[in-house]
Amino acid sequence: MAEFRSFRSEAVVIRHADYGEADRMLTLYTRQQGKLRALAKGARKPTSRKAGHLEPFTHVTLQLARGRDFPIVTQAETLHAYLSLRDDLILTSHGSYVLELLDRFTYQDEIANPPLFRVLIETLARLAAGTDAWLSLRYYEMRLLDSVGFRPELAQCVKCRSEILAEDQFFSFDGGGVICPRCGQTIPNLPTISVDALKYLRHFQRSTFSEAARARPTAVVREETESLMQGYCTFLLERELNVPGFLKKIRA
Ligand SMILES: [Zn+2]
């Protein structure tokens, strides 16, 4: 790609920071180049025509020029502004969670990850349209983990590889999946996963969003799956902080 002086990119703005006197440094997640930093020159001037297209959450088409250090935005056009994600406090917090998870699980490696880009814009669109936020966020977490190489194993015990039966199980964050009751007894302090929560997560893992939306989990199952998925994400991110480059190695 380096041979092209100018290139187009479809992107979601993750965040921006002040840069120099009047510029903004953008962190983008793009369809074509994965995560990318780019410079928006003059974006803090009141007269800037680009600035409005470059706010967090915005889905944009960009024209970029190869700069010496960073690509430089030469044109920006909004595809979806997702204004409700900026205006409604609760939606803003949901949208910020989506972008933060993406930001922390990806590197600026210029490797396209089309499934991840797709689920990102689908999730922002669902949240902005007022679709069930709980479901939208859990579905996003599951697909994000899939597309960065941490799909949780829910069909076999990650220790002995025996098939998981319809009974209460354990879950190992470190092992990346379910641990059968036999193996689970030998490992201290493992979180448990009920048979109902496991069934729900397995259904979720292989379903489209509309299929997943047809399941009606109880409040107990919702709470259990949420705390398990969030615990797993937190564990992975903390481990990644301790071992720099870990996620990148896994993907390569
Ligand atoms: Zn086992």
Side-chain angles (χ1 to χ4, degrees):
M1 201 175 54
E3 65 269 30
F4 299 111
R5 290 177 60 85
S6 176
F7 60 101
R8 275 173 80 77
S9 198
E10 184 186 336
V12 169
V13 181
I14 298 179
R15 57 192 155 84
H16 57 52
D18 290 353
Y19 191 86
E21 276 179 28
D23 305 341
R24 268 193 180 138
M25 181 61 76
L26 309 171
T27 303
L28 306 163
Y29 198 80
T30 72
R31 187 189 288 279
Q32 297 89 342
Q33 297 90 14
K35 193 176 188 178
L36 191 71
R37 290 224 289 171
L39 195 58
K41 290 197 162 183
R44 275 150 60 215
K45 288 181 187 159
T47 52
S48 170
R49 281 182 288 120
K50 289 193 286 281
H53 301 283
L54 300 174
E55 288 301 315
F57 306 122
T58 314
H59 180 197
V60 278
T61 306
L62 301 174
Q63 190 69 36
L64 297 134
R66 288 269 161 209
R68 208 178 51 178
D69 299 313
F70 299 101
I72 294 162
V73 177
T74 53
Q75 279 176 53
E77 192 187 331
T78 297
L79 296 172
H80 299 99
Y82 302 131
L83 287 177
S84 59
L85 298 185
R86 284 189 239 165
D87 297 342
D88 178 299
L89 217 56
I90 291 176
L91 289 182
T92 303
S93 75
H94 292 330
S96 301
Y97 174 72
V98 167
L99 296 186
E100 194 191 333
L101 214 55
L102 175 81
D103 196 15
R104 294 187 61 191
F105 269 108
T106 54
Y107 284 84
Q108 286 162 57
D109 48 12
E110 304 211 0
I111 296 171
N113 188 335
L116 182 54
F117 185 81
R118 193 176 328 117
V119 76
L120 169 66
I121 52 174
E122 285 172 356
T123 303
L124 293 176
R126 282 178 194 130
L127 291 174
T131 307
D132 182 345
W134 185 88
L135 185 71
S136 303
L137 294 177
R138 301 293 85 76
Y139 192 79
Y140 172 72
E141 287 165 347
M142 185 65 100
R143 292 282 103 81
L144 174 91
L145 290 175
D146 270 7
S147 54
V148 296
F150 291 112
R151 180 186 174 90
E153 173 58 62
L154 302 174
Q156 327 186 311
C157 169
V158 294
K159 188 151 186 275
C160 72
R161 293 288 152 197
S162 63
E163 197 187 331
I164 287 297
L165 307 173
E167 56 187 332
D168 292 353
Q169 313 282 343
F170 294 93
F171 192 93
S172 164
F173 294 150
D174 196 28
V178 175
I179 298 253
C180 75
R182 270 69 56 192
C183 295
Q185 283 166 0
T186 66
I187 307 168
N189 304 321
L190 283 182
T192 55
I193 176 168
S194 70
V195 63
D196 289 340
L198 179 63
K199 273 187 190 158
Y200 180 61
L201 280 181
R202 284 168 75 156
H203 168 66
F204 212 81
Q205 192 173 51
R206 57 174 185 256
S207 297
T208 62
F209 184 78
S210 57
E211 286 163 353
R214 282 200 289 274
R216 292 273 175 264
T218 62
V220 174
V221 166
R222 281 165 75 107
E223 207 173 296
E224 192 185 344
T225 49
E226 176 172 348
S227 90
L228 194 78
M229 291 296 284
Q230 300 224 322
Y232 184 42
C233 288
T234 304
F235 170 85
L236 292 171
L237 291 170
E238 281 171 1
R239 182 171 67 180
E240 181 258 333
L241 285 182
N242 295 332
V243 187
F246 175 76
L247 289 178
K248 194 168 181 171
K249 264 184 267 158
I250 287 278
R251 283 182 54 191

Tab-separated table of all heavy atoms in Angstrom, residues 131-155:
chain	number	residue	atom	x	y	z
A	131	THR	N	-31.940	-0.133	19.327
A	131	THR	CA	-32.074	-1.588	19.461
A	131	THR	C	-31.578	-2.001	20.850
A	131	THR	O	-30.701	-1.352	21.406
A	131	THR	CB	-31.204	-2.281	18.382
A	131	THR	OG1	-31.565	-1.736	17.119
A	131	THR	CG2	-31.410	-3.790	18.346
A	132	ASP	N	-32.179	-3.059	21.403
A	132	ASP	CA	-31.801	-3.610	22.718
A	132	ASP	C	-30.280	-3.490	22.958
A	132	ASP	O	-29.480	-4.198	22.347
A	132	ASP	CB	-32.235	-5.089	22.747
A	132	ASP	CG	-31.941	-5.774	24.087
A	132	ASP	OD1	-31.155	-5.227	24.885
A	132	ASP	OD2	-32.521	-6.854	24.319
A	133	ALA	N	-29.910	-2.573	23.837
A	133	ALA	CA	-28.485	-2.270	24.031
A	133	ALA	C	-27.752	-3.445	24.681
A	133	ALA	O	-26.608	-3.740	24.315
A	133	ALA	CB	-28.319	-1.018	24.879
A	134	TRP	N	-28.403	-4.100	25.606
A	134	TRP	CA	-27.757	-5.228	26.277
A	134	TRP	C	-27.370	-6.283	25.233
A	134	TRP	O	-26.236	-6.724	25.164
A	134	TRP	CB	-28.694	-5.845	27.331
A	134	TRP	CG	-28.017	-6.917	28.117
A	134	TRP	CD1	-27.285	-6.757	29.257
A	134	TRP	CD2	-27.977	-8.329	27.808
A	134	TRP	NE1	-26.786	-7.969	29.672
A	134	TRP	CE2	-27.192	-8.951	28.804
A	134	TRP	CE3	-28.519	-9.109	26.783
A	134	TRP	CZ2	-26.939	-10.327	28.818
A	134	TRP	CZ3	-28.262	-10.473	26.793
A	134	TRP	CH2	-27.478	-11.063	27.799
A	135	LEU	N	-28.334	-6.627	24.401
A	135	LEU	CA	-28.092	-7.645	23.379
A	135	LEU	C	-27.031	-7.180	22.377
A	135	LEU	O	-26.129	-7.940	22.016
A	135	LEU	CB	-29.408	-7.939	22.652
A	135	LEU	CG	-29.363	-9.059	21.630
A	135	LEU	CD1	-29.222	-10.408	22.316
A	135	LEU	CD2	-30.621	-9.041	20.772
A	136	SER	N	-27.129	-5.929	21.963
A	136	SER	CA	-26.178	-5.394	20.988
A	136	SER	C	-24.747	-5.453	21.526
A	136	SER	O	-23.822	-5.806	20.790
A	136	SER	CB	-26.526	-3.943	20.640
A	136	SER	OG	-27.842	-3.865	20.145
A	137	LEU	N	-24.579	-5.128	22.808
A	137	LEU	CA	-23.231	-5.108	23.391
A	137	LEU	C	-22.681	-6.517	23.607
A	137	LEU	O	-21.510	-6.785	23.337
A	137	LEU	CB	-23.225	-4.325	24.715
A	137	LEU	CG	-23.506	-2.826	24.588
A	137	LEU	CD1	-23.536	-2.171	25.964
A	137	LEU	CD2	-22.477	-2.138	23.702
A	138	ARG	N	-23.537	-7.431	24.071
A	138	ARG	CA	-23.059	-8.813	24.267
A	138	ARG	C	-22.704	-9.455	22.923
A	138	ARG	O	-21.735	-10.178	22.795
A	138	ARG	CB	-24.110	-9.675	24.972
A	138	ARG	CG	-24.561	-9.201	26.335
A	138	ARG	CD	-23.481	-9.267	27.399
A	138	ARG	NE	-22.601	-8.121	27.446
A	138	ARG	CZ	-22.911	-6.924	27.960
A	138	ARG	NH1	-24.102	-6.694	28.459
A	138	ARG	NH2	-22.028	-5.950	27.964
A	139	TYR	N	-23.523	-9.185	21.921
A	139	TYR	CA	-23.263	-9.746	20.597
A	139	TYR	C	-21.941	-9.198	20.053
A	139	TYR	O	-21.125	-9.925	19.484
A	139	TYR	CB	-24.419	-9.397	19.655
A	139	TYR	CG	-24.381	-10.163	18.354
A	139	TYR	CD1	-24.833	-11.487	18.292
A	139	TYR	CD2	-23.895	-9.583	17.194
A	139	TYR	CE1	-24.788	-12.192	17.102
A	139	TYR	CE2	-23.847	-10.289	15.997
A	139	TYR	CZ	-24.299	-11.592	15.964
A	139	TYR	OH	-24.254	-12.302	14.789
A	140	TYR	N	-21.729	-7.929	20.272
A	140	TYR	CA	-20.488	-7.279	19.840
A	140	TYR	C	-19.271	-7.893	20.543
A	140	TYR	O	-18.263	-8.199	19.906
A	140	TYR	CB	-20.591	-5.781	20.134
A	140	TYR	CG	-19.316	-5.006	19.922
A	140	TYR	CD1	-18.832	-4.763	18.647
A	140	TYR	CD2	-18.597	-4.522	21.009
A	140	TYR	CE1	-17.656	-4.042	18.452
A	140	TYR	CE2	-17.426	-3.798	20.828
A	140	TYR	CZ	-16.957	-3.570	19.549
A	140	TYR	OH	-15.803	-2.868	19.360
A	141	GLU	N	-19.358	-8.080	21.860
A	141	GLU	CA	-18.242	-8.677	22.600
A	141	GLU	C	-17.881	-10.050	22.028
A	141	GLU	O	-16.711	-10.362	21.811
A	141	GLU	CB	-18.608	-8.875	24.083
A	141	GLU	CG	-18.665	-7.605	24.890
A	141	GLU	CD	-19.383	-7.779	26.235
A	141	GLU	OE1	-20.058	-8.823	26.460
A	141	GLU	OE2	-19.295	-6.876	27.054
A	142	MET	N	-18.927	-10.847	21.791
A	142	MET	CA	-18.680	-12.205	21.293
A	142	MET	C	-18.003	-12.173	19.925
A	142	MET	O	-17.032	-12.874	19.669
A	142	MET	CB	-20.017	-12.952	21.238
A	142	MET	CG	-19.911	-14.400	20.857
A	142	MET	SD	-19.000	-15.384	22.090
A	142	MET	CE	-20.353	-16.138	22.997
A	143	ARG	N	-18.517	-11.311	19.014
A	143	ARG	CA	-17.950	-11.247	17.661
A	143	ARG	C	-16.551	-10.615	17.670
A	143	ARG	O	-15.682	-11.005	16.901
A	143	ARG	CB	-18.874	-10.436	16.732
A	143	ARG	CG	-20.191	-11.125	16.446
A	143	ARG	CD	-20.045	-12.232	15.392
A	143	ARG	NE	-20.041	-13.577	15.968
A	143	ARG	CZ	-21.111	-14.260	16.331
A	143	ARG	NH1	-22.308	-13.752	16.189
A	143	ARG	NH2	-21.002	-15.465	16.838
A	144	LEU	N	-16.344	-9.646	18.535
A	144	LEU	CA	-15.024	-9.024	18.656
A	144	LEU	C	-13.998	-10.073	19.096
A	144	LEU	O	-12.913	-10.181	18.509
A	144	LEU	CB	-15.079	-7.878	19.671
A	144	LEU	CG	-13.730	-7.239	20.007
A	144	LEU	CD1	-13.447	-6.062	19.079
A	144	LEU	CD2	-13.656	-6.753	21.433
A	145	LEU	N	-14.341	-10.853	20.107
A	145	LEU	CA	-13.411	-11.882	20.588
A	145	LEU	C	-13.096	-12.875	19.469
A	145	LEU	O	-11.952	-13.274	19.278
A	145	LEU	CB	-14.004	-12.616	21.801
A	145	LEU	CG	-14.080	-11.784	23.084
A	145	LEU	CD1	-14.798	-12.563	24.175
A	145	LEU	CD2	-12.699	-11.363	23.555
A	146	ASP	N	-14.121	-13.265	18.713
A	146	ASP	CA	-13.927	-14.140	17.547
A	146	ASP	C	-12.891	-13.546	16.603
A	146	ASP	O	-11.963	-14.224	16.173
A	146	ASP	CB	-15.215	-14.212	16.701
A	146	ASP	CG	-16.137	-15.324	17.133
A	146	ASP	OD1	-15.848	-15.962	18.162
A	146	ASP	OD2	-17.153	-15.532	16.443
A	147	SER	N	-13.069	-12.280	16.272
A	147	SER	CA	-12.288	-11.729	15.172
A	147	SER	C	-10.898	-11.273	15.604
A	147	SER	O	-10.080	-10.955	14.762
A	147	SER	CB	-13.051	-10.617	14.453
A	147	SER	OG	-13.448	-9.656	15.375
A	148	VAL	N	-10.593	-11.265	16.912
A	148	VAL	CA	-9.211	-10.995	17.316
A	148	VAL	C	-8.537	-12.255	17.860
A	148	VAL	O	-7.452	-12.182	18.439
A	148	VAL	CB	-9.087	-9.825	18.335
A	148	VAL	CG1	-9.541	-8.519	17.704
A	148	VAL	CG2	-9.848	-10.102	19.613
A	149	GLY	N	-9.170	-13.410	17.667
A	149	GLY	CA	-8.502	-14.674	17.990
A	149	GLY	C	-8.742	-15.197	19.389
A	149	GLY	O	-7.994	-16.041	19.875
A	150	PHE	N	-9.802	-14.722	20.060
A	150	PHE	CA	-10.098	-15.221	21.407
A	150	PHE	C	-11.504	-15.794	21.515
A	150	PHE	O	-12.168	-15.631	22.535
A	150	PHE	CB	-9.907	-14.109	22.446
A	150	PHE	CG	-8.469	-13.723	22.632
A	150	PHE	CD1	-8.013	-12.486	22.224
A	150	PHE	CD2	-7.577	-14.613	23.201
A	150	PHE	CE1	-6.678	-12.129	22.387
A	150	PHE	CE2	-6.240	-14.267	23.364
A	150	PHE	CZ	-5.789	-13.023	22.965
A	151	ARG	N	-11.958	-16.453	20.445
A	151	ARG	CA	-13.276	-17.073	20.484
A	151	ARG	C	-13.334	-18.039	21.662
A	151	ARG	O	-12.531	-18.980	21.743
A	151	ARG	CB	-13.477	-17.841	19.173
A	151	ARG	CG	-14.802	-18.542	19.033
A	151	ARG	CD	-14.785	-19.371	17.742
A	151	ARG	NE	-15.976	-20.182	17.601
A	151	ARG	CZ	-17.095	-19.772	16.996
A	151	ARG	NH1	-17.159	-18.577	16.482
A	151	ARG	NH2	-18.140	-20.572	16.917
A	152	PRO	N	-14.251	-17.849	22.605
A	152	PRO	CA	-14.296	-18.783	23.730
A	152	PRO	C	-14.733	-20.184	23.287
A	152	PRO	O	-15.636	-20.324	22.462
A	152	PRO	CB	-15.320	-18.160	24.692
A	152	PRO	CG	-16.060	-17.137	23.910
A	152	PRO	CD	-15.213	-16.745	22.735
A	153	GLU	N	-14.049	-21.193	23.803
A	153	GLU	CA	-14.386	-22.591	23.490
A	153	GLU	C	-15.546	-23.010	24.399
A	153	GLU	O	-15.392	-23.015	25.619
A	153	GLU	CB	-13.145	-23.467	23.725
A	153	GLU	CG	-13.395	-24.961	23.613
A	153	GLU	CD	-13.960	-25.358	22.263
A	153	GLU	OE1	-13.280	-25.151	21.266
A	153	GLU	OE2	-15.095	-25.886	22.216
A	154	LEU	N	-16.667	-23.365	23.776
A	154	LEU	CA	-17.850	-23.692	24.574
A	154	LEU	C	-18.345	-25.113	24.327
A	154	LEU	O	-19.323	-25.550	24.922
A	154	LEU	CB	-18.986	-22.701	24.255
A	154	LEU	CG	-18.684	-21.216	24.479
A	154	LEU	CD1	-19.839	-20.346	23.992
A	154	LEU	CD2	-18.391	-20.928	25.951
A	155	ALA	N	-17.679	-25.851	23.436
A	155	ALA	CA	-18.161	-27.187	23.085
A	155	ALA	C	-17.359	-28.303	23.737
A	155	ALA	O	-17.895	-29.382	23.988
A	155	ALA	CB	-18.143	-27.355	21.567
